[in-house]
């Protein structure tokens, strides 16, 4: 049961996963592009490399010879994963899953064309000219995303023709890695967005967490809450789609499968083969096992008898407002923690930039409590925490 695990990406999600893995007796090597990343602060060992440098990635794997390779971000030379699997390494959840889901083009084509899932209409573009034609074909308003990005970087909505060139330039600036291509999506009129955390097991059935509602700005999540109100028909449709796409991608672990809820039914949006940022609400004890504990068990092949809803909970992010290489200082934390049924997780990132996620406020109440009130409390408390820089 004692395994050596290379974690590729060491942000706040990786930090919580590292803690969950260590509680099960595992050895974690945290890898990221900068020193002092959150997961590095709790891991047994760490490496600082550019994970888009395939040779550097190969050297880390050859040096540590891990039992498991666990990606936590998109900007990785994921095509190397196929070679690692041929060498006998286990990639979580699998090399195909990591490659498909790190690229919006691959996962969207799989979902819409191969599996027939209900998605927004979409087009791709690699030049401004192609982009302009794609916008005309899809229609305004439409959503624009780089094929490879994270935390909403490069994502925008084209509302008028004047937005076209600005949206293209913003998408190019926010694109990660070598992929200089965008997806243009039909603007779906939805009344809610949900994340359906889906757990695939090596030796057990696929399990679904109670749906998590969330709100985004700039393509990045701001608040999430659990449970989220959803009809029996919609949850069944979402589970069916999540089951199909995770089965096609193969492998064990937790998946963050995103959907739009509309008057015309459920639309598949995106998928991540790892703990999801909106799933940080599970740190409020909303489930019997947090998403990080579920992922740890699944990738280790440990049994998960069931997933139960234990509390009503919400999360709200705390963002930096300025760029600084100095150590961040947090004010307002003591005032927030005076509130009952409240917790704060500070990620301890060494630098700041505008809109960088630096902490999260968690609030909870008994099962059956008014989720809107729990969410409003999380939002109000998160506003009390300010992030500044030391001099």
């Amino acid at each position: 049961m004692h395994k050596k695990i290379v974690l590729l990406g060491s942000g706040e999600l990786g930090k919580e996963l590292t803690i969950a893995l260590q509680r099960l007796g595992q050895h974690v090597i945290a890898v990221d592009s900068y020193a002092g990343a959150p997961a590095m602060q709790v891991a047994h060992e760490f490496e600082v490399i550019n994970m888009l440098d395939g040779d550097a990635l190969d050297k880390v794997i050859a040096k540590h010879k891990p039992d498991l390779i666990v990606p936590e971000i998109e900007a990785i030379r994921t095509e190397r994963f196929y070679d690692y699997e041929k060498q006998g390494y286990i990639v979580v959840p699998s090399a195909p899953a990591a490659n498909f889901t790190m690229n919006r083009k691959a996962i969207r084509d799989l979902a819409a064309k191969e599996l027939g899932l209900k998605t927004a209409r979409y087009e791709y573009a690699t030049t401004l000219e192609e982009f302009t034609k794609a916008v005309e074909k899809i229609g305004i308003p439409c959503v624009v995303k780089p094929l490879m990005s994270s935390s909403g970087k490069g994502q925008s909505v084209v509302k008028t023709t004047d937005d076209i060139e600005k949206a293209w330039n913003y998408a190019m600036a926010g694109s990660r890695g070598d992929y200089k291509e965008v997806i243009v999506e039909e603007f779906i009129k939805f009344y809610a967005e949900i994340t359906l955390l889906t757990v695939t097991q090596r030796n057990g059935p696929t399990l679904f967490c109670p749906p998590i509602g969330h709100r985004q700005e700039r393509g990045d999540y701001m608040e999430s809450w659990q449970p989220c109100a959803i009809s029996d028909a919609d949850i069944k449709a979402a589970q069916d789609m999540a089951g199909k796409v995770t089965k096609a991608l193969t492998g064990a672990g937790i998946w963050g499968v995103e959907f739009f809820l509309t008057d015309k039914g459920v639309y598949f949006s995106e998928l991540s083969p790892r703990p999801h940022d909106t799933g940080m609400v599970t740190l409020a004890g909303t489930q019997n096992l947090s998403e990080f504990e579920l992922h740890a068990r699944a990738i280790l092949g440990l049994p998960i008898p069931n997933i139960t809803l234990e509390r009503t909970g919400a999360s709200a992010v705390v963002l930096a407002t300025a760029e600084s290489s100095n150590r961040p200082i947090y004010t307002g934390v003591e005032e927030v923690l005076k509130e009952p049924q409240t917790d704060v997780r500070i990620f301890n990132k060494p630098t700041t930039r505008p809109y960088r996620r630096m902490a999260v406020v968690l609030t909870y109440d008994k099962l059956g409590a008014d989720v809107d009130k729990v969410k409003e409390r999380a939002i109000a408390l998160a506003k009390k925490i300010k992030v500044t820089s030391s001099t």
Side-chain angles (χ1 to χ4, degrees):
M1 258 303 295
H2 183 70
K3 297 185 182 298
K4 185 183 289 187
I5 298 166
V6 164
L7 180 67
L8 298 177
S10 300
E12 56 268 29
L13 302 180
K15 182 176 185 177
E16 295 294 340
L17 177 60
T18 297
I19 293 169
L21 287 165
Q22 288 180 339
R23 285 174 174 160
L24 292 171
Q26 310 308 305
H27 184 98
V28 181
I29 300 102
V31 183
D32 214 312
S33 60
Y34 66 97
M40 292 181 185
Q41 299 164 23
V42 295
H44 295 90
E45 303 176 67
F46 69 89
E47 299 280 355
V48 179
I49 65 165
N50 175 6
M51 287 175 287
L52 288 170
D53 181 338
D55 292 338
L57 196 59
D58 288 347
K59 288 178 182 177
V60 167
I61 300 304
K63 173 183 176 181
H64 293 283
K65 296 180 172 56
D67 299 290
L68 297 171
I69 300 170
V70 183
E72 194 244 345
I73 63 170
E74 291 86 355
I76 304 171
R77 189 63 65 189
T78 54
E79 66 271 15
R80 299 287 177 120
F81 291 169
Y82 291 106
D83 291 334
Y84 299 155
E85 285 193 340
K86 289 178 182 177
Q87 295 170 36
Y89 295 110
I90 297 175
V91 177
V92 172
S94 66
N99 271 273
F100 271 68
T101 54
M102 296 301 180
N103 184 308
R104 287 190 171 99
K105 187 173 188 176
I107 190 62
R108 180 56 63 88
D109 285 349
L110 172 70
K113 295 179 179 179
E114 294 186 36
L115 300 178
L117 306 190
K118 191 174 183 179
T119 72
R121 292 184 299 112
Y122 62 95
E123 294 287 334
Y124 301 118
T126 57
T127 66
L128 178 58
E129 182 180 5
E130 289 179 0
F131 178 65
T132 302
K133 291 179 179 178
V135 171
E136 291 174 356
K137 186 172 182 179
I138 295 299
I140 294 176
C142 58
V143 179
V144 180
K145 304 173 186 176
L147 286 187
M148 181 178 281
S149 68
S150 63
S151 299
K153 294 180 179 66
Q155 181 173 324
S156 65
V157 177
V158 174
K159 298 178 181 178
T160 70
T161 54
D162 292 338
D163 296 331
I164 293 176
E165 188 168 354
K166 290 185 292 185
W168 170 257
N169 292 332
Y170 184 60
M172 289 297 98
S175 182
R176 301 182 75 168
D178 302 330
Y179 294 88
K180 299 301 180 183
E181 189 172 0
V182 302
I183 182 171
V184 181
E185 298 180 336
E186 170 191 12
F187 188 88
I188 299 294
K189 294 181 180 179
F190 58 89
Y191 60 81
E193 291 180 90
I194 68 164
T195 302
L196 183 63
L197 294 175
T198 302
V199 184
T200 52
Q201 303 185 77
R202 292 186 195 170
N203 302 301
T206 295
L207 302 175
F208 302 100
C209 297
I212 295 169
H214 58 89
R215 185 183 71 86
Q216 298 187 15
E217 285 184 14
R218 301 170 300 276
D220 201 5
Y221 115 96
M222 300 299 293
E223 302 100 35
S224 63
W225 54 94
Q226 190 183 32
C228 176
I230 185 170
S231 70
D232 291 342
D234 282 351
I235 191 60
K236 186 178 183 303
Q239 290 177 350
D240 180 65
M241 285 191 273
K244 286 180 179 177
V245 71
T246 55
K247 182 179 179 180
L249 290 169
T250 72
I254 200 165
W255 312 69
V257 192
E258 295 181 63
F259 296 96
F260 296 122
L261 304 186
T262 79
D263 292 335
K264 298 179 180 179
V266 181
Y267 283 74
F268 172 83
S269 175
E270 292 189 342
L271 174 141
S272 300
R274 57 186 182 275
H276 200 267
D277 50 8
T278 62
M280 282 194 280
V281 67
T282 62
L283 294 172
T286 52
Q287 301 180 166
N288 58 323
L289 295 167
S290 75
E291 67 167 342
F292 308 101
E293 292 165 329
L294 289 169
H295 196 46
R297 286 200 192 190
I299 68 178
L300 293 171
L302 296 174
I304 304 170
N306 61 359
I307 301 171
T308 58
L309 186 65
E310 301 292 323
R311 292 174 173 174
T312 298
S315 74
V317 302
V318 176
L319 304 177
T321 57
E323 185 164 352
S324 176
S325 58
N326 296 327
R327 182 178 177 83
I329 296 174
Y330 299 81
T331 57
V333 175
E334 183 177 352
E335 182 182 358
V336 169
L337 291 179
K338 287 179 180 177
E339 296 294 324
Q341 299 176 311
T342 299
D343 199 0
V344 175
R345 299 293 171 95
I346 293 175
F347 306 143
N348 208 26
K349 295 177 179 178
T351 61
T352 64
R353 60 176 178 267
Y355 303 118
R356 190 176 199 189
R357 194 163 57 219
M358 304 299 291
V360 65
V361 171
L362 304 164
T363 55
Y364 60 90
D365 205 336
K366 63 184 178 181
L367 197 59
D370 187 329
V371 70
D372 287 332
K373 289 183 179 179
V374 176
K375 176 176 61 175
E376 289 164 7
R377 191 156 61 89
I379 295 170
L381 292 173
K383 291 178 180 177
K384 294 179 181 291
I385 299 178
K386 307 299 180 184
V387 184
T388 57
S389 297
S390 58
T391 55

